[in-house]
């Protein structure tokens, strides 16, 4: 190589000149600057230094490559003849193609050969002398040229070989293709022959079947005629039938001979003898009919005559007369009316047709059906209107009898003091659960979703001052029903109010629940340890709700507490026990247990689990209980910590296993002597609840029938709701049903406690419903159906999010609010005729602005005569998008040519705004 400068070498290598100068200096090569020249020897010396500095072998410092790779590519063309159109026998070569025919195939051969340095060559890192280097270079050049020539020869030889092989392969493929084409043609021909043969065979079979059917029909016709002749001949013969004769007639030959003789006789017989057939049916009647009483044998079996129909007397007998006489005066009946009765049952009790009762109800303005249920008051009115006496039926059914027996048994046992049941109420995030946590020495609040309580918790605490049972209720507005249930079973209400927040809406609602239940109230002002706490402000706000503390001369106890620091907890317990002593709470300890359902849920491993607060008696393991529409035997009981217990006395909450289902929160719990009676009471309650739901749905649909027909079909949002506990489920149902309005209806197709199952998913498919899971999840089968059908499945753990999303979905179904705004008014001064636009109004814009793309109204004497759109808007000869106030313009009204001078053209805009709940 020729000498190069430092700058050129740096540009070739792709590094800065300064860096290359530094490397040259480190390699011991003197270079004054970027314009200094470098010899071949200096470049090799630099390369060796760089290899040594990067850990390479010094033997490779001479810069000679270890191997040389040579690549060659050759392209040639190969002409492949096409197959001849005529058919050649298999194995023969195709006929030659005319000159100029065939296909041209390009054959490209790529070769690569690598030469590696021999191992016996010296690999020293020393630099040879210039003369030796020159000789070595020339010898290496000669060797490289020889190697290159050999490689080129080898490549040409291989290219020729590959071309020959490609030509042979192309010729072989052409022959194979021709053979395959011939074979396919043979298969098509054979298939066509088989199809034609099958078609001919099918036609032959069809012809043979038709011929056989015709012959069979002809044989049946001839046989029928022969049989009729034979029957007639036998009928004309009066010889009695004997078993021997029946046996002979069954023989085929004799029957045929006899039939032939009968035919001959029939030909010779006069025509008038045919009328004797009338006697035949009487003689060949089945004798068994006489045994049923339909016929009687008048002349006896030996008379030769068959049974004959008994003749009835033409005169009516005395006992056949109708002796009922219509009453001359109306009949007054006493009709027992239960709580609910259907129209059909009411008609039966009055001995009238159901249509009469329906007609009477129509007169009173009620459209009913025969199966519709009527309440007691309506039934009494109908009975009295129809002239009968209505009596109230005795309602002592299985449930009433059981309750009466329970009251009698409770009076037989001595009542003893019981612990108080305390309900903690208050607003969201005012520290109710944290206060209870400090008393129980647990951390329940840390496990709650969003830091709030989603369902009622029942606990009993053993303190130094006595036992106290606590009910922790949620503070969110949606759980008002749950708080109401908590106030019904409680003895004392603790109202928790944050000292830094004051009285809130749910605080006022808790005060109302406590007053409705008639229980005393204790105010616990929480978070008094905060710097911004102001207890006096809270007390002042409570006076607005007629809650006056003892410090201010009232009768309500007030305690300042801190759930975090534990301040005032002992004073709060003292106040609770003092209030309990004043109330003198007592209940019988012995005898059958009676209580209430605080909460219920469905556990996957344990089944229905109900939290029962015992109010009287003692509940033991093995007792048979009935709660609402569910019943069962108590298989196991656990306290709030999960420890098993054998019994629970008054005011003690326990978890019960063994019910047939999840009862509703708030249902009563009664101990029954035997399982048969428990099942009877539970089924009666379930039927009554089912009937009430049915009546409610039917009444609503009938009342809204004409409204829906008039206003169109009402939009509906179908929901399938599953929750972890019954209390949360009821609260969610009430909150969602309140979202129904005149345009959109929220319909809860199904609801229940437990996870989402496959049946829920299939129900969502049929009813086009949305699946909502509150603290529950769908199982594998339900998830598979959801994925296959593309259902909308959503999980929630906080009630705010669920209600808000359903509210947004309903808002999307509401029709938008459409408003109109007049933006311009033009007065027509003159009308011109145009061949293109028809009548064109020359106008003056008197108000606002006239826009081309907006809708318009044509006013005549301030009365709208046309509403449409503009076809053209021009200013002189130019089309303009808008014309402002005080400007003349030409307006063409689309599809309207009756514009007159003096009319006004009004331009307006419509705006739509989404409605929200």
């Amino acid at each position: 190589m020729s000498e190069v400068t430092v700058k050129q070498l740096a540009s070739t290598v792709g590094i800065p000149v300064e860096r290359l100068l530094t490397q040259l200096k480190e390699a011991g090569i003197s270079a004054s600057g970027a314009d200094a020249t470098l010899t071949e020897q200096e470049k090799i010396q630099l390369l060796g230094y760089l290899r040594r500095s990067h850990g390479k072998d010094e033997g490779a410092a001479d810069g000679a490559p270890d191997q040389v790779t040579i690549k060659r590519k050759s392209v040639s063309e190969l002409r492949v003849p096409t197959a001849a159109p005529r058919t050649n026998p298999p194995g023969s070569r195709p006929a030659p193609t005319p000159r100029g025919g065939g296909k041209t195939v390009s054959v490209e051969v790529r070769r690569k050969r690598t030469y590696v340095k021999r191992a016996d060559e010296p690999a020293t890192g020393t630099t040879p002398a210039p003369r030796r280097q020159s000789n070595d270079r020339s010898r290496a050049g000669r060797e490289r040229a020889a190697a290159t020539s050999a490689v080129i020869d080898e490549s040409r030889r291989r290219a020729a070989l590959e071309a020959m092989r490609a030509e042979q392969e192309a010729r072989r493929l052409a022959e194979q293709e021709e053979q395959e084409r011939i074979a396919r043609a043979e298969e098509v021909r054979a298939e066509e022959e088989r199809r034609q043969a099958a078609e001919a065979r099918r036609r032959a079979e069809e012809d043979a079947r038709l011929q056989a059917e015709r012959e069979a029909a002809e044989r049946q016709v001839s046989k029928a005629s022969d049989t009729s002749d034979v029957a007639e001949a036998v009928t004309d013969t009066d010889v009695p039938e004997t078993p021997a004769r029946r046996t002979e007639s069954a023989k085929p030959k004799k029957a045929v001979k006899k039939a032939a003789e009968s035919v001959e006789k029939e030909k010779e017989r006069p025509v008038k003898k045919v009328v004797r057939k009338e006697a035949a049916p009487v003689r060949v009647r089945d004798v068994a009919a006489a045994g049923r009483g339909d016929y009687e044998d008048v002349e006896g079996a030996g008379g030769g005559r068959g049974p004959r129909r008994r003749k009835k007397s033409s005169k009516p007998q005395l006992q056949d007369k109708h002796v009922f006489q219509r009453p001359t005066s109306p009949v007054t009946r006493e009709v027992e009316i239960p709580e609910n009765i259907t129209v059909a049952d009411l008609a039966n009790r009055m001995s009238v047709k159901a249509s009469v009762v329906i007609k009477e109800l129509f007169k009173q303005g009620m459209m009913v059906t025969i199966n519709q249920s009527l309440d007691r008051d309506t039934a009494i009115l109908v009975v009295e209107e129809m002239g009968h006496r209505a009596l109230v039926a005795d309602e002592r059914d299985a449930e009433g009898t059981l309750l009466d027996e329970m009251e009698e048994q409770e009076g037989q046992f001595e009542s003893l003091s019981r612990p108080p049941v305390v309900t903690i109420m208050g607003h969201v995030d005012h520290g109710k659960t944290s206060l209870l946590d400090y008393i129980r020495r647990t951390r329940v609040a840390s496990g709650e979703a969003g830091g709030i309580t989603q369902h009622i918790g029942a606990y009993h605490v053993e303190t130094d001052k006595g036992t106290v049972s606590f009910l922790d209720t949620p503070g969110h507005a949606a759980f008002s029903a749950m708080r109401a249930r908590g106030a019904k079973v409680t003895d004392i209400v603790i109202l928790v109010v944050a000292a830094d927040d004051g009285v809130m809406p749910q605080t006022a609602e808790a005060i109302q629940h406590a007053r409705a239940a008639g229980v005393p109230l204790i105010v616990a002002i929480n978070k008094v340890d905060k710097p911004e706490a102001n207890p006096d402000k809270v007390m002042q706000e409570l006076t607005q709700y007629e809650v006056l503390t003892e410090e201010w001369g009232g009768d309500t106890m007030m305690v300042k507490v801190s759930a975090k620091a534990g301040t005032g907890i002992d004073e709060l317990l003292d106040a609770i026990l003092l209030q309990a002593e004043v109330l003198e709470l007592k209940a019988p300890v012995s005898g059958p247990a009676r209580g209430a359902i605080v909460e219920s849920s469905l556990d996957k491993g344990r089944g229905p689990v109900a939290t029962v607060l015992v109010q009287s008696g003692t509940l033991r393991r093995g007792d048979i209980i009935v709660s609402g529409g569910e019943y069962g035997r108590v298989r196991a009981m656990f306290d709030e910590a999960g420890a098993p217990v054998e019994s629970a006395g008054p005011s003690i909450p326990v978890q019960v296993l063994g019910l047939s289902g999840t009862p509703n929160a708030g249902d009563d719990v009664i101990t029954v002597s035997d399982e048969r009676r428990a099942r009877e009471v539970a089924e009666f309650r379930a039927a009554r609840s089912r009937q009430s739901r049915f009546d409610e749905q039917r009444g609503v649909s009938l009342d809204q029938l004409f409204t829906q027909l008039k206003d169109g079909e009402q939009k509906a949002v179908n929901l399938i709701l599953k929750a972890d506990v019954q209390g949360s489920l009821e609260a969610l149902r009430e909150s969602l049903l309140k979202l129904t309005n005149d345009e959109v209806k929220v319909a809860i197709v199904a609801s229940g406690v437990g996870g989402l199952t496959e049946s829920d998913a299939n129900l969502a498919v049929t009813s086009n419903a949305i699946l909502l899971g509150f603290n529950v999840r769908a199982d594998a089968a339900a998830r598979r159906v959801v994925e296959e059908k593309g259902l909308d499945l959503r999980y929630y753990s906080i009630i705010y999010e669920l209600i808000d999303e359903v509210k947004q979905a309903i808002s999307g179904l509401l029709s938008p609010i459409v408003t109109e705004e007049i933006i311009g008014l033009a007065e027509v001064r003159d009308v011109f005729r145009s061949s293109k636009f028809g009548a064109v109004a020359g106008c003056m814009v008197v108000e606002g602005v006239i826009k081309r793309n907006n809708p318009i109204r044509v006013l005549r004497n301030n009365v709208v005569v046309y509403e449409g759109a503009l076809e053209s808007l021009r200013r002189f000869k130019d089309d303009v998008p808008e014309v402002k106030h005080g400007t003349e313009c030409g307006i063409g009204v689309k599809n309207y040519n009756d514009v007159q001078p003096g009319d006004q053209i009004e331009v307006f805009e419509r705006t739509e705004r989404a409605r929200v709940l």
Side-chain angles (χ1 to χ4, degrees):
M1 294 179 62
S2 60
E3 296 180 351
V4 295
T5 61
V6 175
K7 185 176 181 180
Q8 294 175 349
L9 183 58
S11 176
T12 304
V13 177
I15 60 175
V17 178
E18 294 77 8
R19 183 178 177 183
L20 182 58
L21 291 173
T22 305
Q23 292 177 352
L24 290 171
K25 184 177 180 181
E26 293 175 355
I29 302 172
S30 61
S32 59
D35 296 331
T37 58
L38 296 176
T39 62
E40 186 72 20
Q41 183 179 359
E42 290 175 345
K43 288 192 288 184
I44 294 175
Q45 183 179 354
L46 175 61
L47 180 60
Y49 163 73
L50 293 176
R51 286 181 176 273
R52 288 192 301 274
S53 63
H54 287 82
K56 297 288 184 69
D57 187 11
E58 292 184 358
D62 56 352
D66 293 337
Q67 61 184 10
V68 176
T69 302
I70 300 176
K71 298 180 180 179
R72 291 291 183 269
K73 180 176 70 173
S74 62
V75 180
S76 61
E77 292 185 354
L78 178 66
R79 185 177 301 277
V80 179
T82 57
R86 69 172 183 269
T87 303
N88 294 331
S92 63
R93 297 181 62 85
T97 345
R99 186 174 183 86
K103 296 185 295 184
T104 302
V105 179
S106 298
V107 181
E108 179 179 301
V109 181
R110 297 181 180 179
R111 303 298 300 170
K112 181 175 73 172
R113 188 159 187 173
T114 303
Y115 295 90
V116 183
K117 182 186 294 184
R118 292 195 302 271
D120 56 352
E121 292 184 0
T124 59
T126 58
T127 304
R131 185 179 55 192
R132 178 72 175 272
Q133 180 181 3
S134 176
N135 295 335
D136 292 343
R137 192 183 302 118
S138 61
R139 186 169 59 254
R142 288 194 299 272
E143 292 178 357
R144 192 178 298 112
T148 303
S149 177
V151 169
I152 292 173
D153 295 341
E154 181 68 17
S155 300
R156 290 177 178 174
R157 185 180 65 80
R158 289 182 178 274
L161 184 59
E162 290 293 336
M164 184 177 62
R165 290 179 179 176
E167 183 178 358
Q168 294 176 356
E169 182 67 18
R171 188 178 298 109
R172 185 184 64 80
L173 290 175
E175 294 177 357
Q176 184 178 357
E177 183 179 358
E178 181 64 22
Q179 293 176 1
E180 291 177 355
R181 190 183 65 79
I182 295 172
R184 284 195 301 269
E186 292 293 337
E187 291 178 359
V188 170
R189 189 182 303 107
E191 182 65 26
E192 182 65 22
E193 292 176 355
R194 286 195 299 269
R195 188 183 63 78
Q196 293 177 359
E199 182 68 21
R201 186 168 56 255
R202 187 185 63 80
R203 285 197 299 268
E205 292 176 356
E206 183 69 19
D207 295 341
R209 185 180 61 82
L210 294 177
Q211 182 66 24
E213 290 180 355
R214 285 194 296 270
E215 293 176 357
E218 292 174 359
R219 285 196 300 270
Q220 289 179 359
V221 172
S222 61
K223 184 177 179 180
S225 61
D226 296 344
T227 305
S228 62
D229 295 340
V230 171
E232 184 178 354
V234 172
T235 304
D236 292 338
T237 307
D238 293 331
V239 179
E241 187 177 355
T242 61
R245 189 171 184 85
R246 284 199 302 268
T247 305
E248 290 177 3
S249 63
K251 296 181 181 180
K253 294 183 179 179
K254 292 183 178 181
V256 172
K257 183 177 180 181
K258 189 173 181 179
E261 293 175 356
S262 300
V263 171
E264 293 296 334
K265 292 179 180 180
E266 181 64 23
K267 292 180 180 180
E268 299 173 359
R269 186 183 302 155
V271 181
K272 63 181 180 180
K273 292 184 178 182
V274 179
V275 296
R276 294 183 60 188
K277 288 184 179 181
E278 297 177 357
V282 177
R283 296 190 183 96
V284 297
R285 290 281 187 180
D286 188 6
V287 182
R292 295 195 299 267
D294 297 337
Y295 300 89
E296 63 178 350
D297 193 0
V298 179
E299 299 182 1
R305 300 182 65 182
R308 187 166 51 191
R309 185 179 298 275
R310 183 187 293 114
K311 295 182 179 179
K312 292 184 179 180
S313 177
S314 59
K315 296 182 179 180
Q317 300 295 329
L318 183 63
Q319 59 270 20
D320 293 338
K321 288 186 177 180
H322 195 26
V323 296
F324 176 76
Q325 299 293 330
R326 184 176 181 180
T328 57
S329 60
V331 178
T332 303
R333 294 181 173 83
E334 293 183 351
V335 182
E336 289 189 354
I337 306 298
E339 184 177 357
N340 290 296
I341 186 172
T342 62
V343 174
D345 292 341
L346 184 60
N348 290 334
R349 295 189 182 191
M350 291 188 296
S351 299
V352 296
K353 292 183 179 181
S355 59
V356 178
V357 180
I358 294 175
K359 182 179 180 181
E360 186 65 30
L361 289 169
F362 271 29
K363 292 179 180 179
Q364 298 181 9
M366 296 179 60
M367 294 180 295
V368 296
T369 61
I370 190 173
N371 295 321
Q372 186 167 340
S373 179
L374 303 176
D375 60 296
R376 177 178 292 169
D377 296 337
T378 305
I380 290 175
L381 290 175
V382 173
V383 170
E384 292 177 352
E385 285 290 333
M386 299 186 69
H388 302 284
R389 290 179 55 194
L391 300 178
V392 178
D394 187 10
E395 295 296 331
R396 284 183 56 84
D397 46 27
E399 182 183 12
T401 306
L402 179 61
L403 294 177
D404 293 342
E405 291 180 0
M406 287 290 298
E407 292 178 359
E408 294 176 2
Q409 292 178 1
E410 288 178 358
Q412 298 175 1
F413 299 97
E414 182 183 1
S415 298
L416 302 176
S417 299
R418 64 176 179 84
V421 179
V422 181
T423 299
I424 300 180
M425 294 185 177
H427 192 68
V428 177
D429 199 24
H430 275 200
K432 302 181 299 298
T433 307
S434 299
L435 179 61
L436 186 60
D437 286 345
Y438 191 88
I439 299 174
R440 297 172 52 232
R441 301 293 182 183
T442 56
R443 297 298 301 169
V444 175
S446 61
E448 297 287 352
I452 65 173
T453 303
Q454 300 287 345
H455 49 80
I456 293 179
Y459 321 96
H460 78 282
V461 179
E462 299 285 347
T463 64
D464 298 337
K465 304 178 184 299
T467 303
V468 181
S469 295
F470 289 96
L471 294 180
D472 181 22
T473 60
H476 186 260
F479 294 94
S480 60
M482 297 172 64
R483 287 199 300 278
R485 286 199 308 272
K488 288 179 182 178
V489 299
T490 190
D491 301 317
I492 302 171
V493 171
I494 296 180
L495 181 63
V496 179
V497 186
D500 59 342
D501 200 4
V503 177
M504 301 301 288
Q506 273 72 52
T507 308
E509 189 178 349
I511 296 174
Q512 296 173 1
H513 286 311
R515 286 179 178 170
V519 294
L521 189 69
I522 298 176
V523 179
I525 300 179
N526 194 15
K527 303 181 182 180
V528 295
D529 55 339
K530 284 192 173 184
E532 59 271 16
N534 189 357
D536 294 336
K537 177 186 174 184
V538 175
M539 297 167 63
Q540 177 65 33
E541 292 176 351
L542 287 174
T543 58
Q544 301 176 6
Y545 301 94
E546 300 180 0
V547 177
L548 195 62
T549 60
E550 293 178 348
E551 294 182 4
W552 289 9
D555 57 351
T556 303
M557 301 177 67
M558 187 271 294
V559 183
K560 298 177 182 180
V561 298
S562 174
K564 297 294 183 182
T567 306
I569 300 298
D570 295 335
E571 290 79 0
L572 180 61
L573 293 176
D574 291 340
I576 294 172
L577 295 175
L578 178 60
Q579 188 68 53
E581 290 180 4
V582 173
L583 294 175
E584 296 181 356
L585 303 173
K586 292 184 179 181
V589 179
S590 304
R594 186 172 184 176
I597 297 292
V598 178
E599 197 59 89
S600 64
S601 61
L602 187 63
D603 195 327
K604 187 175 182 180
R606 301 187 296 176
V609 180
T611 302
V612 179
L613 178 65
V614 182
Q615 294 173 322
S616 65
T618 302
L619 182 63
R620 295 178 176 84
R621 190 167 65 88
D623 290 347
I624 299 173
I625 61 175
V626 58
S627 176
E630 309 296 339
Y631 71 97
R633 185 184 296 273
V634 180
R635 295 189 289 106
M637 290 194 303
F638 304 93
D639 59 8
E640 65 272 7
V645 293
E646 293 294 327
S647 62
S651 303
I652 301 299
V654 289
Q655 286 187 341
V656 175
L657 305 183
L659 287 172
S660 58
T662 56
N664 296 325
D667 289 346
D668 57 346
V669 178
I670 304 174
T671 304
V672 189
S673 57
D674 58 339
E675 188 174 357
R676 181 190 60 81
R677 195 171 184 184
R679 184 188 302 109
E680 182 181 356
V681 174
E683 290 177 353
F684 173 77
R685 289 178 172 179
R688 184 177 60 186
S689 175
R690 187 165 51 250
Q691 183 66 30
S692 62
R693 289 197 306 268
F694 174 76
D695 295 340
E696 180 182 357
Q697 293 175 0
R698 177 179 291 275
V700 170
S701 61
L702 287 175
D703 294 340
Q704 296 179 352
L705 176 62
F706 292 105
T707 304
Q708 292 182 3
L709 290 176
K710 180 180 179 181
D711 299 337
E713 185 178 359
Q714 189 181 30
K715 298 178 182 177
V717 177
N718 296 331
L719 303 176
I720 294 179
L721 181 63
K722 299 299 284 291
D724 56 342
V725 293
Q726 189 72 31
S728 300
L729 180 65
E730 290 183 8
L732 287 169
R733 282 177 58 90
E734 292 182 5
S735 301
L736 294 175
L737 291 177
K738 288 180 181 177
L739 300 177
T740 301
N741 52 33
D742 296 337
E743 294 188 17
V744 180
K745 176 185 177 182
V746 177
I748 298 180
V749 179
S751 62
V753 177
L756 292 160
T757 61
E758 186 178 5
S759 61
D760 296 329
N762 292 328
L763 179 60
V765 174
T766 57
S767 60
N768 194 19
I770 301 173
L771 294 169
L772 302 178
F774 185 74
N775 287 333
V776 295
R777 297 293 182 266
D779 56 12
R783 289 196 301 270
R784 183 169 59 253
V785 176
V786 168
E787 292 177 359
E788 291 177 356
K789 304 297 183 180
L791 301 177
D792 190 359
L793 171 61
R794 303 190 182 188
Y795 297 133
Y796 300 94
S797 59
I798 300 178
I799 191 170
Y800 312 108
E801 299 176 358
L802 190 149
I803 297 176
D804 290 343
E805 290 202 9
V806 175
K807 190 180 296 184
Q808 292 174 3
I810 295 175
S811 299
L813 294 178
L814 294 174
S815 58
I817 301 174
V818 180
T819 58
E820 292 184 358
E821 180 183 1
I822 299 174
I823 62 173
L825 184 65
E827 184 178 346
V828 180
R829 299 293 177 85
D830 200 355
V831 178
F832 306 96
R833 298 294 171 180
S834 171
S835 59
K836 182 177 182 181
F837 300 106
V840 177
C843 304
M844 171 67 74
V845 182
V846 295
E847 290 182 11
V849 61
I850 306 297
K851 295 184 179 180
R852 179 191 299 172
N853 297 326
N854 287 34
I856 65 166
R857 293 189 183 96
V858 180
L859 306 178
R860 186 171 298 160
N861 297 327
N862 294 325
V863 177
V864 178
V865 296
Y866 179 76
E867 183 173 347
L870 291 180
E871 188 172 12
S872 65
L873 178 63
R874 291 194 173 189
R875 172 80 175 142
F876 296 107
K877 292 185 178 182
D878 301 329
D879 289 330
V880 292
E882 63 180 26
V883 180
K884 295 183 179 180
H885 169 65
T887 311
E888 295 180 347
C889 62
I891 296 177
V893 183
K894 192 173 184 179
N895 298 329
Y896 186 71
N897 293 324
D898 193 23
V899 181
Q900 299 178 7
D903 292 350
Q904 292 179 335
I905 297 177
E906 179 183 84
V907 182
F908 61 95
E909 285 183 347
R910 286 194 181 99
T911 58
E912 293 185 358
R913 181 166 52 88
R915 293 177 59 184
V916 295
L917 295 175

